[in-house]
Every structure is written in C-alpha cells, then in structure tokens.
C-alpha cells in the first residue's frame, strides 16, 4: 500500500523507454501556434491575454535591462503552469514532482543571473556578501553565512516546487482512497470525505498555479539583484 502511494511519482515507461520527455513536451501543444491572423479564436484570445498578464506581472519588479529576459521567464512560467495543471488530471504524470527536473531548471537560470551580475557589476554583486557597517570580528562569519544562503538558492527553488506538488498529490490520493474504502461501510462519512476531496482539488489547482508563479518570480528577483 505504501509503495502504491508513491508509484504515481515514478516516471512511466514504454518498452523500457522513460516517457518523462514526452510528458514535458505535450503541454507545448496547448500553446498558440504562429498564424497570419492576430487572433484566430476565443481560446487564442484568452491565451494571449494570459501571456500578456503574466509578462506584465513578471517584468514589473525588473529594470529595463532585465526586460530582455521576458521571453525566457514567460516561457518558463507557461511551461510550469501547464505541466502542474495537467498533472492533476487522472492517469497523468507530473514531471515537476521530480527534484532532478526542478533542479535542472533552477540551477542553470540561477547561475545565469549570478554570472550576469558578476560580469556587469562585480563590486555590487560581491558587496551583497557583506552588509554595510558590519563589525570587524563578524566579517568572516557573515561572509560564510551569506555565501551559503546564496548557494542554496537553486536548491530551495527546486525543493519548494517538488515538496508542495508531492504533498498535494499524496493528500489527494490518500483522501480518494479513504473515500473508496468508506463508501460501502459508512456512506455518510464517505460523502463528507468526497466534499473534502473536492475542496482539496480546488486548493491543489491554486497551489499548482501559485508555485509556478513563485518559482519564476523568485528567479526574476534574483535577476534584479544582479542588474
């Protein structure tokens, strides 16, 4: 029973070939495709409005120098958003529950923001490791603490996204299993559990959207520190 709860986080395979790459590429089919017309249908209009809203929210805390990152950040936001939401459907697999994938997204982008700061303004970027006015005896300790906090940023990004989505999927599976078990024994309790499951599903939809936004927003804030 314990293993069956965690089987949903194992990458599906077909003839020994992992299908995680296919599950990552499938959400891109839902994005608008280039066309000679500006607006083809209402669904395309809704997608373009959502893209405009996301881009505006992500670019608000950034200076004009950071606006060149708009395509990267918006694309990452849409990718995470679609993967998280599609992972809530039955008989699907959520790649963002894998720490390896989240770290593969977080580490290169965090490193890019760090190298951007070291290239454009090395003094200011290194100055973040030592707050102004620090007493001399505390300088070595503070430099070590700030360096550690800087290096664990990509790990925090990956673990946050993985932990929130994994916990939500486990809760949904536990409550749905309890609902199915209680139905022939205590129908009234099973109905109440079904209502809780419905509310939890709505909460998980919100968590899926919020976690995608938080992931990209933190990257944009790290970028703002280095430009």
């Amino acid at each position: 029973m314990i293993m069956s709860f965690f089987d949903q986080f194992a990458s599906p395979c077909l003839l020994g070939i992992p299908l995680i790459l296919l599950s990552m590429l499938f959400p891109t089919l839902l994005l608008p495709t280039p066309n000679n017309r500006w607006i083809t249908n209402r669904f395309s209009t809704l997608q373009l409005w959502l893209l405009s809203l996301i881009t505006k929210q992500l670019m608000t805390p950034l200076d004009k120098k950071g606006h060149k990152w708009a395509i990267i950040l918006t694309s990452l936001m849409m990718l995470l958003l679609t993967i998280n939401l599609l992972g809530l459907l039955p008989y699907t697999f959520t790649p963002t529950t894998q720490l390896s994938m989240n770290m593969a997204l977080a580490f290169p982008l965090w490193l890019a923001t760090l190298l951007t700061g070291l290239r454009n303004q090395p003094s200011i970027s290194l100055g973040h490791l030592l707050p102004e006015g620090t007493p001399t005896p505390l300088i070595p300790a503070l430099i070590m603490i700030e360096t550690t906090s800087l290096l664990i940023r990509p790990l925090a990004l990956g673990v946050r996204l993985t932990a929130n989505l994994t916990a939500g999927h486990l809760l949904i599976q536990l409550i749905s299993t309890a609902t199915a078990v209680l139905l022939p024994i205590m129908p009234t309790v099973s109905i109440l559990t079904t209502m809780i499951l419905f509310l939890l599903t709505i909460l998980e939809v919100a968590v899926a959207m919020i976690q995608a936004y938080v992931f990209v927003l933190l990257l944009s804030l790290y970028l703002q520190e280095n430009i």
Side-chain angles (χ1 to χ4, degrees), residues 92-111:
T92 57
F93 173 69
T94 313
T96 44
T97 56
Q98 306 296 312
L99 182 60
S100 57
M101 175 190 165
N102 296 333
M103 289 300 298
L105 292 174
F107 183 77
L109 292 172
W110 165 82
L111 185 61

Side-chain angles (χ1 to χ4, degrees), residues 129 142-152:
L129 301 179
L142 279 179
I143 291 178
M144 294 178 60
I145 293 173
E146 292 295 331
T147 303
T148 304
S149 65
L150 178 65
L151 295 178
I152 65 172

Side-chain angles (χ1 to χ4, degrees), residues 103-213:
M103 289 300 298
L105 292 174
F107 183 77
L109 292 172
W110 165 82
L111 185 61
T113 61
L114 183 62
L115 294 178
T116 299
L118 292 175
R119 185 190 66 177
N120 296 335
Q121 46 181 19
S123 299
I124 298 177
S125 297
L126 294 176
H128 291 158
L129 301 179
L130 184 63
E132 186 177 357
T134 303
T136 303
L138 297 179
I139 288 179
L142 279 179
I143 291 178
M144 294 178 60
I145 293 173
E146 292 295 331
T147 303
T148 304
S149 65
L150 178 65
L151 295 178
I152 65 172
R153 281 181 175 181
L155 181 62
L157 284 174
V159 170
R160 182 187 295 107
L161 183 58
T162 303
N164 281 281
L165 296 180
T166 302
H169 283 64
L170 282 176
L171 278 176
I172 289 177
Q173 185 166 1
L174 286 171
I175 295 179
S176 59
T177 303
T179 302
V181 171
L182 292 174
L183 183 59
I185 304 174
M186 293 180 287
T188 305
V189 178
S190 179
I191 293 174
L192 294 176
T193 311
T194 304
M195 296 176 61
I196 296 175
L197 180 62
F198 177 73
L199 296 176
L200 180 62
T201 304
I202 297 176
L203 176 63
E204 282 306 308
V205 171
V207 168
M209 294 187 291
I210 291 172
Q211 288 303 316
Y213 176 70

